[in-house]
């Protein structure tokens, strides 16, 4: 696997992450510096603090209710975590995004693509493509427990042109 997908962002040393109380600190580290406002508030960070840090540019809003706890460039994996947080439970990276994460594609594409259960209402917007599915296959993080949830369907790969027979 090549490209930025394999590069994790080590957020443990970021001052804003270090200042977070446990267990929200561990959650933010696992999510590579991204969190929902609800997660931060539940972890003891006042909502006004989140709003102030976004407003002054110390943190960035990725999606409605989702922030990244930095002011610098946002990496693809952080965008992917943010998309999954915005899409909610049962969502997973899919299509080109899942293919990129698992090394089937060299580039991630302009937007992060997530699949959600058909009954969920998630509005697509800049940087986020939402695919609704009646039946969502199980998600897995094939790169370790920290990997974003993915659904890499058979459409990501091409079947071999020849079947090799083993003796």
């Amino acid at each position: 696997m090549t490209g930025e997908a394999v590069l994790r962002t080590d957020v443990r040393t970021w001052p804003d992450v270090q200042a977070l109380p446990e267990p929200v600190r561990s959650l933010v580290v696992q999510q590579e510096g991204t969190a929902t406002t609800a997660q931060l508030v539940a972890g003891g960070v006042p909502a006004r603090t989140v709003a102030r840090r976004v407003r002054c540019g110390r943190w960035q809003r990725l999606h409605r209710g989702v922030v990244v706890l930095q002011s610098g460039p946002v990496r693809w994996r952080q965008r992917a975590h943010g998309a999954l947080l915005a899409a909610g439970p049962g969502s997973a990276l899919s299509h080109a995004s899942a293919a990129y994460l698992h090394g089937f594609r060299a580039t991630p594409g302009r937007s992060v693509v997530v699949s959600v259960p058909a009954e969920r209402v998630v509005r697509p917007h800049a940087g986020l493509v939402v695919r609704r599915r009646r039946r969502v296959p199980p998600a897995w993080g094939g790169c370790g427990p920290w990997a974003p949830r993915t659904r890499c369907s058979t459409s990501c790969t091409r079947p071999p042109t020849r079947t090799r027979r083993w003796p």
Side-chain angles (χ1 to χ4, degrees):
M1 191 180 327
T2 62
E4 186 186 358
V6 297
L7 301 176
R8 296 192 63 220
T9 303
D10 187 6
V11 301
R12 293 173 295 176
T13 59
W14 294 357
D16 284 345
V17 173
Q18 289 179 337
L20 293 172
E22 282 295 344
V24 74
R25 181 185 323 127
S26 295
L27 183 63
V28 169
V29 168
Q30 181 182 352
Q31 294 170 177
E32 299 189 45
T34 61
T36 65
T37 303
Q39 288 173 332
L40 293 168
V41 169
V45 179
R48 67 182 181 279
T49 300
V50 176
R52 184 175 58 246
R53 289 183 180 175
V54 169
R55 192 172 47 252
C56 77
R58 189 167 169 178
W59 293 354
Q60 299 175 66
R61 185 166 310 283
L62 294 178
H63 305 285
R64 183 178 180 185
V66 180
V67 296
V68 62
L69 282 68
Q70 72 177 41
S71 60
V74 178
R75 298 184 72 122
W76 184 85
R77 288 182 64 92
Q78 292 172 309
R79 289 180 33 224
H81 278 288
L84 291 171
L85 291 170
S91 65
L93 295 178
S94 64
H95 297 76
S97 295
Y100 175 67
L101 182 71
H102 292 291
F104 296 122
R105 285 184 55 129
T107 60
R110 288 185 169 161
S111 299
V112 176
V113 184
V114 297
S115 287
V116 299
E119 63 275 2
R120 171 146 324 114
V121 177
V122 178
R123 294 189 178 157
H125 53 276
L128 176 63
V129 175
V130 178
R131 304 283 188 215
R132 288 179 179 75
R133 299 180 69 150
R134 284 189 214 126
R135 190 180 71 75
V136 182
W140 61 286
C143 299
W146 45 264
R149 301 178 303 268
T150 63
R151 287 185 177 85
C152 192
S153 65
T154 55
S155 63
C156 295
T157 61
R158 292 187 179 152
T161 55
R162 267 186 350 187
T163 304
R164 187 175 192 186
R165 296 187 92 166
W166 294 96

